[in-house]
Structure formats: C-alpha cells, structure tokens
Amino acid sequence: MTLTLIFVILIACPLEFTGAKWTYNGPDGEHNWSSNYPFCGGAFQSPIDFQTQLLRYDPNLPPIQVQNYNLSTNEQLTLSNNGHSVQLSLPSQMYISSFPQRYSAAQLHFHWGSSNLLTGSEHTVNGKRFAGEMHIVHFNSDKYPNISMAVDKHDGLAVLGVFIEIGEFNPAFDKFFKYMNGIKYRDQKIQVAAFNIHALLPARLDEYYRYDGSLTTPPCYPSVLWTVFRRPVTISRKQFMALATALYASNAQESTTVPLHGNYRKPQITDNRVVLVSFKDGLYGILSAESPFQRKQVIQKLLVGDLADLADEGLYQLLPKLGSQPGKDKKLKKSKKEGHWSQATRKEQWSKNKVQSNTGYSSSVGKNTPTPWYMGAFDTAKGICFVSLEENVMHQLDKYHAKGLMVEALREVVFPELNLRSYLHCRSDLDLQTIRKLVQGRSRDEAAELEQSLAEAMLKKMRRQINQHRNPNMKTTIGHPQATVPKDFNSALTYHRPQRAEWED
Ligand SMILES: *[C@@H]1O[C@H](CO)[C@@H](O)[C@H](O)[C@H]1NC(C)=O
Ligand SMILES: *[C@@H]1O[C@H](CO)[C@@H](O)[C@H](O)[C@H]1NC(C)=O
Ligand SMILES: *[C@@H]1O[C@H](CO)[C@@H](O)[C@H](O)[C@H]1NC(C)=O
Ligand SMILES: [Zn+2]
C-alpha cells in the first residue's frame, strides 16, 4: 500500500528541476533536501573540501581545452534569475574537447556569499572558502540528445568550476553583471548579447582538481565529472556587491522579498573518493595516482593469475597509505561524531533510493533511464571503485544467499568492464579489504605467500613513514609527514602481525 501511494504521488507530481520547493535556509534548507530529493542524501555528493590528503597527482590529466567559446556578439543569450542563482544560457556548439567524449555547454551560473559575508564558493581548499564560484555546465552530447536526458546518467555531465576572488575589476563578467537589475526577481529573464566566454576562465587551464560528484542543488544526481580550476579569477568588490545585493529569491508578486545570496551547499563527505590533481608543485608529500592498468593487472592476477610474479613492490604501490586514510573503525567513529554516514546507513540509503527508483522515481526525469543501478556510484561498469564494487558484490551475494562466493561474484561483476569505463578509470584506492577477500579465494599456499607480501609491504611502508617522521626534511613523493605515527604503527602491527601458522607449513 505504501508503495502504491509513493507511486501515485510520483506520477502525480513528477520531480523535476523546478519541482518540490527547496532553499538554502529554513525548513526546506539543505539538511532536508533529501526528504524530497533522495539523491541529496546519497553517495558521490558535491561540493567537497579539497583537503591535501585527498589529492593524488595524476600526470595523465591534460590541460582543459574548450572549443567555440568565443561567441559572436550577434548571438543572444538568456540571462535569468531562477530563484537559486543567476544563470546564463549557453549554445551547445561550445564544448570541452579534452575528454574522450564531447561535452557540450548548456548554461553557466554562480554561487556566492553575501554583503556581510564575502565567502560563498561551494568547493573549498583545505577549508578555505572563496568569495564565489562559477559553474559552466556541459552534458555528454555524444551519448545524450540534450541535458535533460543526460542529467541523471553517471556519465551525463561535466562541470567546469571556477573560484572567484575579490580583487581587480573583471570586464568579462561585466558583460552580463551590468544587466542584473533586469532580473531582480525570481523567474525573470532577459536577452543579452553574447561575448567571449573564454574570458571568464582563469588563465591557467592546466591546473585543476578532478573528481566524481553530483549536482550541488536538488535533485543532486551523482552525474557530474567535476573539474575545478586551481587558480581563481577576480572580480572587484563592487562587482561582487552587485551580485550579492541585486537579486531576490522571491518573485515580483510575492509580498515578502527574500534576498538571493549565500547560495552555496556545505561540503559533503568524500567517503572513499580521492581527488585527482593535474599539478603537484606547492603540495608537499602528495601521492601519485596509480594507473588503472596497474590496478587491473593486480586484480587480474588476484583472480586468475600466477601470484608469484606479483612482486612485493607491485602490491606495495597499490596499498592504501597509512595515516591519512584511517582504518574502518576510526572512520566510523569519525562519521558518527560529524553526523555523517556510516557504511551501514549509506547502504540503507542506497536501497531507499533504489526502491524509489523502481517505483518510477527515476523515470520521471528520463523515460529511458535503464535502471537505477546505473546511477553514480552503483554503476557496475564503474566497478573499479572498489568499495562500491564490494557493496555491489555483497548485494548480489545477499540476493542469492550465496556466501563465500566473493571471488566468483567479483569475476562476474568486474569483467569484462574493468578498466573500460570513463575518463577517470579509478577513483578510490584499492581497498585492503578487497585484496584480502581476493586473497582468501586463492589456494592456500598462494594466499599465504601473498598475505606475507602484503604484511611485508605494509611494514616497509610503515618504517619509511617512521623514518620520515624522525627526519621530516627527507624528500619523498610518497608518505605523509603529518601522519600520527604511533597510532598507525599500532594498527598496522595489529593488522599485520604475522600469524605464522597461517602460512608456514
Ligand atoms: C522536511 O521536509 C519535509 C517534506 O517537505 C517536511 O514534511 C518536514 O517537516 C521537513 N523537516 C524539517 C525538519 O524541516
Ligand atoms: C573573438 O571573436 C571576435 C570576432 O567574432 C574577434 O574579433 C576576437 O579577436 C576573438 N577573440 C579571441 C580572444 O579570439
Ligand atoms: C530531450 O530529448 C528527448 C529524447 O529525444 C526528448 O523526448 C525531449 O523532449 C528533449 N527535451 C528537451 C528539453 O528538449
Ligand atoms: Zn552550481
């Protein structure tokens, strides 16, 4: 009966962008977005805080290249106030050309602070919030006919994020900032002459943060490949004030006017995500991303191959680092303290989303949405995020009451898609739990051998960290000088203290 009810409600009032009311403050504020928009309480949410320990230098990230951004002044663009932001429509001939698939532009919009709080960017860098942030939204036009079809697909959107700082006057932004008074109220729109959109971007397009995330507003679909440029652009204080004070979130007919400012969402948990960065200068002790190919090799060998040639070093390179990646227990405690999700509640939320999707939720946006399974973190082809892979496999095992078939299930889930999908290929560290499960599936002596390699690799890494701790000036690209060594030392020892009987016949 409950399901029928949900079904009826969803059919009667399909959720869409302008669907249920949401705001940044009050009862419909972000804490409650997930009541009407379940994905807002789901995985892979944005924005996030770019903390140094999340960053992985990836030398394969090319400079961002865009095409047809220099629009003719004969062209008209729609500038609008949608009650949540100021938005400029963009023609789809503009596109990002540095991705394997073409992502065509749809619109750009802003997030900003207020006249008495000048900080309002969504992404932050080690907790630092910039004055504002611009988002240039693109959709995968190779695969989807328009943005509404792409918005809820795992590979649907790519957004370029630009931090905005208060400083020098920016003539490019004034091309449309000067018309702000024409769209003071919600739902107002005007036409403005197009201009060179490229001039809104920072000078350096080769330095950026890259990660998998979501829309930062309801319905929060985890469909966004994020690129946030490292270097901010500037606008003058006067320009910022115009943005922060000119607009209302209420429409012209409403008796009470609600100012439109402070329209940013707070940072979301990163869970098992890492952030790839295209730069490493100025970042001390940053780790490098391992190549997806290397990960694939390891998994393949764990599943089917000869473990003898999986040398210590190969495995060692893929181990999650000690210290900045807390163990599961630690993480759980932390999650609770911060009111974030534990693994269990995340799973629960996922099933909730899935149920809702099955009752017609996802089809309200895209009729051809194959199944909610393909959304965001739970896309099987995205299985190289090992933690979600593991959840996926566990789910299958539960479904078939087939415990102990982890390896079989992994084989089924991982192949043949492993390493085929997407730009990033791999977003999370190879989870130690996954390695262990795979190891357990191998024949006894092989498993023992590998277990020993793992233990040795961990100990080696730990020693290196301790040395680094004692001698912090020692230069190395791996390791975290900030790590609290005694704690890690203990947990690593507990975890890897050899239990001789296990592998010494
Ligand atoms: C959250 O939103 C729901 C649905 O719109 C509403 O019924 C509920 O009262 C809200 N909760 C809070 C704490 O504001
Ligand atoms: C943009 O195009 C206009 C002509 O439409 C041209 O005059 C201008 O130099 C171009 N700007 C850049 C930066 O290429
Ligand atoms: C997007 O494409 C779909 C499928 O071709 C179509 O049904 C829908 O009307 C389009 N939506 C818009 C807003 O153009
Ligand atoms: Zn945005």
Side-chain angles (χ1 to χ4, degrees), residues 154 188 219 302 316 321 374 395 442 482 502:
H154 69 87
Q188 290 185 331
L302 285 168
Y316 163 72
K321 66 195 176 297
Y374 293 93
H395 173 78
R442 301 305 304 262
Q482 318 91 309
E502 269 180 27

Side-chain angles (χ1 to χ4, degrees), residues 24 85 109-111 122 133-135 137 159 216-217 226:
Y24 284 98
S85 186
H109 63 265
F110 295 84
H111 302 269
E122 296 213 293
E133 189 170 327
M134 175 174 69
H135 290 158
V137 181
V159 179
T216 66
T217 56
W226 276 98

